Amino acid sequence: MLWGTAALARVGSGEHYRSDNDRSDGGDGDLGLLVDLVFLAIRYPVIGVPLLLLFIGYTVYRRSQSGNGSTRKAIDRMEEQQRTAVSATDASGWVARLKEKDPLFDLLARFDKAKRHFLEVQGAWFRRDLTPARPFLSDASHQRLSTQLKLLDAQGIRDALADPQVLDLQIIGLEQSDWFDTVHIRVKASVRDTDVPKSFTDDQALAAARKVAPEQFVEVWSFVRKPGVHTRADSAQGGCPNCGAPFSGGAANRCESCGAIVNSGNYDWVLAEITQGLEFVRNDEGVEGLAKARQADPALNSEMLEDRASLCFWRWIEAQSRAEPGVLAKVATV
């Protein structure tokens, strides 16, 4: 109970991120606890002194096991590289497989669009308004980010971002099934990132963010679409991915010209997941039991299950944080 985790504030839960084997550099939290224990030892030595000695001993042991911050970051970057590294042969093979069914697919054009989406999401997150990014976010991704913004607001803080940059993009995976094609793109980026009070205006938050050093990070952005969807020649120009008409978004994400649900995956790639590089796991093997479950439900697929599970999870988190069970009404039994 003494070491609470910091808010996972950056888009994709990246700010203050720690992998499961790296939750040891307590920083300001350890310093505050140390001060409290010193005062406790002075006022109530019978209780405070043993606790203070235990704290010091545990801290020394913990740091001897984990190394300093620079070492930990170096290890994390090595693990990120290992988890997300692919060969040029694999990358070429994935592109070839996509081109077989979609002759107009162009990897560089996909990278350009992914970069634009990345910057649009950062801007929407900073302004605490996801509307500009809604057309290319899956429902579960939108719910996840919306809930995280609400949690930050409940904590009285906002995430201040400045100078986001995409440093490198790589295709690191392709999964194809009867229901979805999934492309995994490794995004190496940097941003100036800090927490500020939620009362800060955009200008105040931007000024605060520009006072901190830029930090590099690696995320894997997973885009999905339905099999058989072909790249439109004018897809890079924006607008409705089905008819090309101007599209400004909306709660239903429905094009006013043709009625298409633009983030359904039926017309273009949709952002379905953001994964920290340290946590990326390749889905090289089938899900155990899924084939048997399909005997009773032929349309059942892992992509829809994952998207639904993510939606349910973040609704559950929101219901707990607001103490309002009704938030779960549409995704859970009574």
Side-chain angles (χ1 to χ4, degrees), residues 119-140:
L119 296 175
E120 288 173 344
V121 168
Q122 308 308 312
W125 177 266
F126 170 74
R127 291 185 295 272
R128 297 175 288 184
D129 179 9
L130 299 175
T131 302
R134 189 70 182 95
F136 59 84
L137 291 176
S138 71
D139 289 338

Side-chain angles (χ1 to χ4, degrees), residues 28 120-121 123 139 145 181 242 278 302 306:
D28 293 340
E120 288 173 344
V121 168
D139 289 338
L145 297 180
D181 289 341
N242 182 45
L278 282 172
S302 60
E306 290 171 3

Side-chain angles (χ1 to χ4, degrees), residues 17-251:
Y17 180 78
R18 299 289 183 272
S19 62
D20 288 340
N21 61 355
D22 177 28
R23 302 187 183 273
S24 57
D25 54 337
D28 293 340
D30 281 2
L31 180 60
L33 181 60
L34 177 60
V35 171
D36 290 341
L37 288 176
V38 169
F39 278 109
L40 184 64
I42 294 173
R43 297 188 63 182
Y44 307 101
V46 175
I47 299 174
V49 170
L51 287 176
L52 181 60
L53 293 175
L54 283 172
F55 172 79
I56 293 173
Y58 175 71
T59 300
V60 171
Y61 169 77
R62 188 181 63 184
R63 294 189 175 181
S64 70
Q65 297 297 309
S66 63
N68 59 37
S70 298
T71 302
R72 185 71 257 171
K73 286 184 178 180
I75 293 174
D76 286 348
R77 287 174 180 170
M78 289 176 61
E79 184 172 350
E80 284 178 344
Q81 180 63 30
Q82 181 179 7
R83 285 176 175 266
T84 60
V86 298
S87 68
T89 301
D90 285 340
S92 298
W94 294 323
V95 173
R97 283 164 55 188
L98 286 165
K99 281 182 172 292
E100 284 180 7
K101 299 180 179 180
D102 179 9
L104 289 181
F105 177 83
D106 182 86
L107 184 61
L108 294 181
R110 175 93 294 271
F111 283 167
D112 287 342
K113 205 164 187 178
K115 178 180 179 179
R116 188 170 76 244
H117 288 343
F118 177 88
L119 296 175
E120 288 173 344
V121 168
Q122 308 308 312
W125 177 266
F126 170 74
R127 291 185 295 272
R128 297 175 288 184
D129 179 9
L130 299 175
T131 302
R134 189 70 182 95
F136 59 84
L137 291 176
S138 71
D139 289 338
S141 294
H142 181 261
Q143 177 67 32
R144 169 186 176 180
L145 297 180
S146 297
T147 300
Q148 289 172 342
L149 285 175
K150 292 176 183 177
L151 294 176
L152 289 175
D153 184 76
Q155 295 175 36
I157 62 176
R158 67 176 293 184
D159 192 20
L161 304 176
D163 305 329
Q165 296 183 55
V166 176
L167 306 176
D168 184 56
L169 293 166
Q170 293 181 334
I171 181 172
I172 63 168
L174 171 66
E175 298 162 19
Q176 293 179 304
S177 69
D178 293 336
W179 299 275
F180 288 96
D181 289 341
T182 305
V183 170
H184 301 293
I185 295 179
R186 180 183 188 269
V187 181
K188 182 178 180 182
S190 71
V191 70
R192 300 178 190 272
D193 193 352
T194 189
D195 295 336
V196 297
K198 72 175 185 180
S199 60
F200 272 33
T201 65
D202 287 354
D203 289 341
Q204 290 174 319
L206 190 62
R210 285 179 172 161
K211 292 179 181 179
V212 303
E215 181 179 356
Q216 292 188 13
F217 58 93
V218 171
E219 294 175 345
V220 178
W221 285 41
S222 300
F223 294 88
V224 302
R225 73 177 183 183
K226 297 291 182 66
V229 176
H230 286 190
T231 302
R232 289 176 55 94
D234 59 351
S235 62
Q237 304 302 317
C240 173
N242 182 45
C243 69
F247 180 76
S248 57

Side-chain angles (χ1 to χ4, degrees), residues 259-294:
I261 304 297
V262 300
N263 71 328
S264 63
N266 287 311
Y267 312 102
D268 200 358
W269 297 100
V270 174
L271 178 62
E273 190 62 71
I274 301 174
T275 308
Q276 296 302 304
L278 282 172
E279 295 297 324
F280 180 68
V281 177
R282 300 186 185 283
N283 187 21
D284 292 329
E285 298 181 0
V287 179
E288 183 178 355
L290 185 59
K292 183 176 181 180
R294 283 196 187 123

